[in-house]
Amino acid sequence: MPDFSYRQVNQKLLDASKAMWRTLKFPDVWRPCVYMYLSLALSINIHEGLFYWYTDSKDGPSFSQENVGFIFSIGSIGSLLGALLYQNVLKDHPFRNLLFWTQLLFGLSGMLDLMLVLRLNLKFGIPDYFFIVIDESVSQMITRLKWMPLLVLSSKLCPPGIEGTFFALLMSIDNVGDLSSQWGGGVILHLLNVTRTRFDNLWLAILTRNILRITPLCLLFLIPSGDPNASVLSTDILGAKEEAETPENENIELVSLVSSVDGKQL
């Protein structure tokens, strides 16, 4: 583009990068970021192993792929219920207390998968289809309850002036944590020799996942324990932001946008 100030754009990108790095150096910011990443990365994802077990005719319930997709779609109702429950009941609870219970329930809810793989539900007379729907609904509801306070906390960690950029950075950290959980789940399945047709150690993979799910409880000291409606950022961060801003708009004069009305000069 002609007459386009690329240097100004580059300078703004450089200033935004410096502001984000300056913000990340404060303990009030990097500590919750570390927790968000580790809480996702340690919750390893072994969904692929469970999916092939669902469709296996020998060891599993022998569901078709369409039935599995339909079960997951019904289970997504639990995610909606989790969001409504947080908004109407739990949004005023301190972040640390809420994350303690949701993380604990997240680990315990994985035991439903263990009961299913060990076929304990059939011993209690509960059909596979009904049990998997309950399992998926409970799992997605607790996952949503665990994610909502982290999302609200992320919005409170964004300093003035770079809210959108910094929130995108925090969401990228969450995405890296989710990707790490998938890699970790693949490694566990590989080490335990769980394949598309071999599920002898699938129960052990589920048990390992459940144990890892509750390990973030040891890291809850990284999360602020105050009022969730109060500001999370300290005055040092806000003060640093104000000092970094240049007073460009202090001496701007107001200029009339209309020079004449009905032929009369203003």
Side-chain angles (χ1 to χ4, degrees):
M1 296 178 60
D3 301 329
F4 186 80
S5 179
Y6 290 99
R7 181 176 300 178
Q8 184 178 4
V9 174
N10 294 334
Q11 184 62 38
K12 288 184 177 180
L13 290 175
L14 182 61
D15 293 341
S17 301
K18 289 181 178 179
M20 288 191 294
W21 174 246
R22 184 169 54 248
T23 303
L24 281 173
K25 291 191 295 184
F26 286 94
D28 292 340
V29 177
W30 67 258
R31 287 159 62 97
C33 292
V34 171
Y35 177 84
M36 285 188 286
Y37 170 76
L38 292 177
S39 66
L40 290 171
L42 291 174
S43 302
I44 59 174
N45 189 342
I46 57 172
H47 173 73
E48 286 78 9
L50 286 172
F51 175 81
Y52 289 117
W53 183 82
Y54 288 154
T55 58
D56 188 74
S57 59
K58 179 181 178 181
D59 298 321
S62 188
F63 290 149
S64 65
Q65 296 183 6
E66 291 77 11
N67 285 336
V68 175
F70 182 69
I71 290 172
F72 288 164
S73 64
I74 296 177
S76 62
I77 298 176
S79 179
L80 177 61
L81 293 177
L84 293 175
L85 182 61
Y86 177 82
Q87 175 64 26
N88 297 315
V89 181
L90 302 174
K91 66 178 181 178
D92 294 326
H93 287 68
F95 291 121
R96 187 180 297 180
N97 295 342
L98 184 56
L99 287 173
F100 172 82
W101 290 108
T102 54
Q103 195 71 44
L104 182 61
L105 291 175
F106 188 52
L108 294 177
S109 65
M111 292 299 177
L112 294 175
D113 289 332
L114 187 61
M115 293 177 60
L116 182 65
V117 171
L118 296 178
R119 316 304 283 153
L120 297 179
N121 62 299
L122 298 179
K123 295 182 179 180
F124 292 105
I126 305 177
D128 288 330
Y129 193 89
F130 183 70
F131 191 84
I132 293 177
V133 169
I134 295 177
D135 179 14
E136 189 65 23
S137 300
V138 171
S139 177
Q140 292 204 29
M141 182 180 68
I142 296 177
T143 301
R144 181 63 61 179
L145 287 175
K146 185 177 75 75
W147 185 68
M148 289 296 291
L150 293 177
L151 187 64
V152 175
L153 179 59
S154 297
S155 67
K156 291 182 175 293
L157 294 177
C158 301
I162 55 170
E163 296 92 338
T165 306
F166 200 80
F167 189 79
L169 174 64
L170 296 178
M171 291 299 100
S172 67
I173 294 175
D174 287 354
N175 290 334
V176 173
D178 185 63
L179 187 60
S180 300
S181 72
Q182 296 181 24
W183 287 344
V187 170
I188 292 296
L189 293 175
H190 177 72
L191 293 177
L192 296 177
N193 198 24
V194 177
T195 64
R196 296 186 179 187
T197 56
R198 300 188 61 179
F199 307 100
D200 296 336
N201 293 325
L202 181 58
W203 68 273
L204 186 56
I206 295 174
L207 185 61
T208 303
R209 180 202 63 182
N210 296 342
I211 294 175
L212 289 175
R213 278 183 174 183
I214 62 176
T215 51
L217 294 176
C218 303
L219 304 172
L220 281 174
F221 66 91
L222 298 172
I223 298 295
S225 59
D227 185 3
N229 298 316
S231 176
V232 176
L233 298 178
S234 64
T235 55
D236 295 336
I237 302 177
L238 300 177
K241 175 60 183 175
E242 292 176 357
E243 293 176 1
E245 292 178 347
T246 56
E248 298 177 353
N249 301 327
E250 289 183 357
N251 300 321
I252 295 181
E253 297 181 0
L254 296 179
V255 180
S256 175
L257 299 179
V258 182
S259 59
S260 63
V261 177
D262 295 334
K264 298 179 180 181
Q265 294 292 330
L266 296 179

